[in-house]
Amino acid sequence: PEAARHRLAQLLADRAAPAASGRRGAAPDLTELIPQWLAGANRRGFRAPADLVPPLLDAARARTDLRPQALAFAGPLGLWLAALNPEWKFALRGSAAGAPTPDTGDPEAVRRLWEEGLFAERVALLDAARAQDPAAALALLTTTWSTERAEDRLMFLDALRAGLGAGDEEFLEQALTDRSRNVRATAAELLSALPSSAFAGRMAARAASCVHPDRTGAGLSIAVEAPHECDAGMQRDGVAAVPPNGRGRRSWWLGQLVEATPLGVWQERFGGRTAEEVVALPVADDWAGELHAAWCRAAIRQRDPHWARALLGEASA
């Protein structure tokens, strides 16, 4: 449909914009909607517009979490184009979306497929095992984790989003020291979605030292004191020390801390106020845009509808 086509073109154009690679400010990052768009299109059996397949393959090349849905949507045309462009060779290795769902009832067959199967088959196996028994799927992943390629580790790690729970915490903590920056970042993102994790506690403590209630004026407001350094502990927990061009270091570090902090922390910190009431509080020293943008990213990461509603504001606005 034309409206859906227009939306996809807008999302892919936003991804290619110069600011998109480092944008962490108040402007919304539309690329975060691409997975949702692809899932909806694939559920309805839509075919990819031919002129949008190349930018879609570029997006999937940059983000492995997009690949299964993107390749399913691109179909045979995507594979044909991938054979002509070395930068898209990842598509020729197969996609989990096209692999048959394996039978997880035979432990020996599972072990053999995991050790000897094609990449697409292994991803499908991990997804199926995760849906049936998250702990068993994690145990399967740990048997070969140290020998996997970085881009494969990233795809396998992304499979842990399904059924994510406290049992994954120890493994994800170890992944924070992975040699791949993308794997470390994904591990940090998953840990921040576990409000009771030690990681979430560490990030909350850091963020709370920067964002706190201020009662010195006529009423309650929010005071912000951004970090003065990005120490080794912060970097281990996935905080990128070097900001993109045009971004201040301190605001860059602050945003990463806030988006990784469980949103419930702020309601407790501001006297049990609701998300709407916290968002409505005035923020001192022009920090409102940065703080609210970080809360937006946290709401997406933590899938929190109450904070999402509060941050979107009234429907009439």
Side-chain angles (χ1 to χ4, degrees), residues 88-178:
W88 298 333
K89 64 182 179 181
F90 68 87
L92 303 179
R93 299 174 54 227
S95 117
T101 302
D103 179 11
T104 58
D106 183 347
E108 180 57 29
V110 167
R111 182 196 63 78
R112 190 182 314 112
L113 181 59
W114 180 250
E115 293 179 356
E116 303 173 4
L118 299 173
F119 176 72
E121 295 172 328
R122 299 179 72 215
V123 173
L125 173 61
L126 187 61
D127 286 341
R130 189 70 177 175
Q132 187 174 47
D133 187 342
L138 179 62
L140 181 67
L141 177 58
T142 59
T143 60
T144 60
W145 177 258
S146 63
T147 62
E148 303 287 357
R149 302 191 318 163
E151 64 181 84
D152 294 348
R153 291 199 306 279
L154 185 61
M155 181 70 86
F156 293 144
L157 192 62
D158 199 63
L160 300 187
R161 296 181 191 276
L164 183 67
D168 302 312
E169 181 178 357
E170 181 179 356
F171 175 79
L172 293 172
E173 278 281 349
Q174 295 174 359
L176 288 175
T177 61
D178 194 272

Side-chain angles (χ1 to χ4, degrees), residues 19-278:
S21 62
R23 173 180 38 228
R24 309 276 296 195
D29 185 355
L30 297 182
T31 62
E32 293 304 318
L33 297 176
I34 295 177
Q36 182 181 347
W37 191 100
L38 287 172
N42 285 332
R43 278 197 305 269
R44 290 164 176 77
F46 289 161
R47 178 174 59 84
D51 60 316
L52 295 181
V53 173
L56 182 63
L57 289 174
D58 281 337
R61 174 174 175 262
R63 285 182 53 176
T64 56
D65 60 308
L66 291 179
R67 292 180 184 179
Q69 294 276 17
L71 293 180
F73 183 58
L77 177 59
L79 295 178
W80 180 79
L81 287 172
L84 303 176
N85 185 348
E87 292 189 350
W88 298 333
K89 64 182 179 181
F90 68 87
L92 303 179
R93 299 174 54 227
S95 117
T101 302
D103 179 11
T104 58
D106 183 347
E108 180 57 29
V110 167
R111 182 196 63 78
R112 190 182 314 112
L113 181 59
W114 180 250
E115 293 179 356
E116 303 173 4
L118 299 173
F119 176 72
E121 295 172 328
R122 299 179 72 215
V123 173
L125 173 61
L126 187 61
D127 286 341
R130 189 70 177 175
Q132 187 174 47
D133 187 342
L138 179 62
L140 181 67
L141 177 58
T142 59
T143 60
T144 60
W145 177 258
S146 63
T147 62
E148 303 287 357
R149 302 191 318 163
E151 64 181 84
D152 294 348
R153 291 199 306 279
L154 185 61
M155 181 70 86
F156 293 144
L157 192 62
D158 199 63
L160 300 187
R161 296 181 191 276
L164 183 67
D168 302 312
E169 181 178 357
E170 181 179 356
F171 175 79
L172 293 172
E173 278 281 349
Q174 295 174 359
L176 288 175
T177 61
D178 194 272
R179 56 188 180 273
S180 165
R181 180 179 61 83
N182 289 333
V183 170
R184 295 195 302 271
T186 301
E189 179 186 343
L190 292 174
L191 281 167
S192 70
L194 297 173
S196 60
S197 67
F199 171 89
R202 294 192 300 270
M203 298 301 271
R206 294 173 180 129
S209 70
C210 299
V211 181
H212 49 84
D214 184 359
R215 296 181 175 85
T216 57
L220 181 66
S221 63
I222 301 176
V224 176
E225 178 68 23
H228 289 275
E229 65 173 340
C230 184
D231 58 32
M234 289 170 60
Q235 293 183 50
R236 179 192 178 276
D237 282 342
V239 177
V242 180
N245 291 335
R247 285 297 308 276
R249 293 187 303 167
R250 296 180 64 197
S251 63
W252 170 247
W253 299 333
L254 174 71
Q256 293 177 81
L257 295 181
V258 172
E259 72 177 272
T261 296
L263 288 163
V265 166
W266 305 114
Q267 292 172 245
E268 296 175 10
R269 188 153 178 77
F270 289 94
R273 286 171 169 77
T274 64
E276 289 80 4
E277 291 170 334
V278 174

